[in-house]
Amino acid sequence: MMALQGKLLKIYVGESERYRDKPLYQYLIRWLKEKGISGATASRGIEGYGKDNILHTARLLELSSDLPIVLEVVDRNEKIEAILPEICRIVPKGLVFSTDVQIHKQGKD
Amino acid sequence: MMALQGKLLKIYVGESERYRDKPLYQYLIRWLKEKGISGATASRGIEGYGKDNILHTARLLELSSDLPIVLEVVDRNEKIEAILPEICRIVPKGLVFSTDVQIHKQGKD
Amino acid sequence: MMALQGKLLKIYVGESERYRDKPLYQYLIRWLKEKGISGATASRGIEGYGKDNILHTARLLELSSDLPIVLEVVDRNEKIEAILPEICRIVPKGLVFSTDVQIHKQGKD
């Protein structure tokens, strides 16, 4: 089977982080859509910590409004590479990494 | 440590997509199980878009019944490669990609 | 752009699995934090199966208290490799795999 070389870009931010009067993860999804990136998905974690070493959790007695949000973005190498510098600028505190993937199917074709 | 070469296969579909009178993601999980694939996990995203460029979101005033569903499937290379053509046939609209992984532990052994 | 070579480690356990009087996934997150690993995120799946071949699901009439939990851990190669043997010992039944990633941004620097 033919496969297209691409990259999976993962971005981890806090649910409460904001950018230009919007939750940061919502801003990012709209920004990626405007840039013509072919797809993005945000998921909410139930517990986690990052560079700040503070544990965020969804459990009852430790209610958090800052759960981890994971964004997954997939596209061809050159499209991911083109947006990376700007992504790193918009996401000052989060984790951003990428990995090589083989795209077997991308939407309706 | 010994590690087994394998592949992580990721499949993105909409929660409302159906296949043979079942939600597509539920059909896929049962199908993978029948094919002897050693494990699969489905997660629900909170927001996302794909090739159709329509934003699906879980937020209050924009209730969606079509949130993104992400399936993760891991097995040895040859087992993932064997099911790929059929997966791409069952998932006409979604995104399907794979990446190489090192499996350090797989179940009870 | 400069990127740091690292590894994404993924660990799949059941929500009901326990270790030393704690849910296993919560034990793992705290253990990773103590070991100085720079970040970890746990997410809850809605359906899945593993080596035991039992399907766990979040649907109404088949309520499960043992949904799949996915842990994602990212750090430099040597830090992930150093904890792998101990992770595999703590997680007797789950799936553990890793993949190479390029880290573009890690926290506040």
Side-chain angles (χ1 to χ4, degrees), chain A:
Chain A
M1 281 186 70
M2 286 281 297
L4 199 66
Q5 289 303 307
K7 279 190 195 295
L8 164 66
L9 178 69
K10 293 190 72 149
I11 306 167
Y12 295 68
V13 301
E15 193 168 6
S16 69
E17 283 182 75
R18 297 183 73 81
Y19 190 84
R20 295 192 184 165
D21 287 320
K22 238 191 193 343
L24 173 55
Y25 78 92
Q26 291 174 14
Y27 177 88
L28 280 167
I29 289 180
R30 279 148 195 78
W31 184 85
L32 290 161
K33 201 160 169 286
E34 275 171 35
K35 291 284 173 192
I37 295 297
S38 67
T41 305
S43 305
R44 183 186 284 117
I46 55 167
E47 192 160 313
Y49 71 93
K51 259 281 172 84
D52 61 6
N53 241 16
I54 298 168
L55 186 68
H56 303 283
T57 174
R59 279 174 294 143
L60 214 59
L61 300 173
E62 313 167 51
L63 271 180
S64 169
S65 56
D66 196 25
L67 289 175
I69 300 285
V70 186
L71 266 94
E72 296 194 316
V73 187
V74 174
D75 214 321
R76 306 175 75 129
N77 291 351
E78 60 275 21
K79 287 183 72 183
I80 295 295
E81 276 153 22
I83 58 166
L84 256 174
E86 185 73 359
I87 291 280
C88 289
R89 203 188 55 74
I90 301 173
V91 182
K93 290 191 296 180
L95 169 68
V96 180
F97 67 81
S98 64
T99 192
D100 293 327
V101 297
Q102 289 74 51
I103 303 174
H104 306 287
K105 194 153 189 73
Q106 196 178 19
K108 289 195 192 97
D109 46 327

Side-chain angles (χ1 to χ4, degrees), chain C:
Chain C
M1 279 186 69
M2 286 281 297
L4 199 66
Q5 289 303 307
K7 279 189 195 294
L8 164 64
L9 178 68
K10 293 191 72 148
I11 306 166
Y12 295 68
V13 300
E15 193 168 6
S16 69
E17 284 183 74
R18 297 183 74 81
Y19 191 84
R20 296 193 183 164
D21 287 320
K22 239 190 191 346
L24 172 55
Y25 79 91
Q26 291 174 13
Y27 178 88
L28 279 167
I29 290 179
R30 279 148 195 78
W31 184 85
L32 290 161
K33 202 160 170 285
E34 275 172 35
K35 292 285 173 191
I37 295 297
S38 67
T41 304
S43 305
R44 182 186 285 118
I46 55 167
E47 192 160 312
Y49 71 93
K51 260 281 171 84
D52 62 6
N53 241 17
I54 298 169
L55 186 69
H56 304 282
T57 174
R59 279 174 294 144
L60 215 59
L61 299 173
E62 313 166 51
L63 270 179
S64 170
S65 56
D66 195 26
L67 289 174
I69 300 284
V70 185
L71 267 94
E72 296 194 317
V73 186
V74 174
D75 213 321
R76 308 176 73 131
N77 291 352
E78 60 274 21
K79 287 183 73 183
I80 295 295
E81 278 153 20
I83 57 164
L84 255 176
E86 186 72 1
I87 291 280
C88 290
R89 202 187 56 74
I90 300 174
V91 181
K93 290 191 295 180
L95 169 68
V96 179
F97 67 82
S98 64
T99 193
D100 294 327
V101 298
Q102 289 74 52
I103 303 173
H104 305 288
K105 193 151 191 72
Q106 196 179 20
K108 290 197 192 94
D109 45 329

Side-chain angles (χ1 to χ4, degrees), chain B residues 30-46:
Chain B
R30 278 147 195 81
W31 184 85
L32 290 161
K33 202 160 169 286
E34 275 171 35
K35 291 285 174 194
I37 295 297
S38 67
T41 304
S43 305
R44 183 186 284 117
I46 56 169

Side-chain angles (χ1 to χ4, degrees), chain B residues 2-20:
Chain B
M2 287 281 296
L4 199 67
Q5 289 303 307
K7 279 190 195 294
L8 165 65
L9 178 70
K10 294 191 71 149
I11 306 166
Y12 295 68
V13 300
E15 192 167 7
S16 69
E17 284 183 74
R18 298 183 72 81
Y19 191 83
R20 297 193 182 165

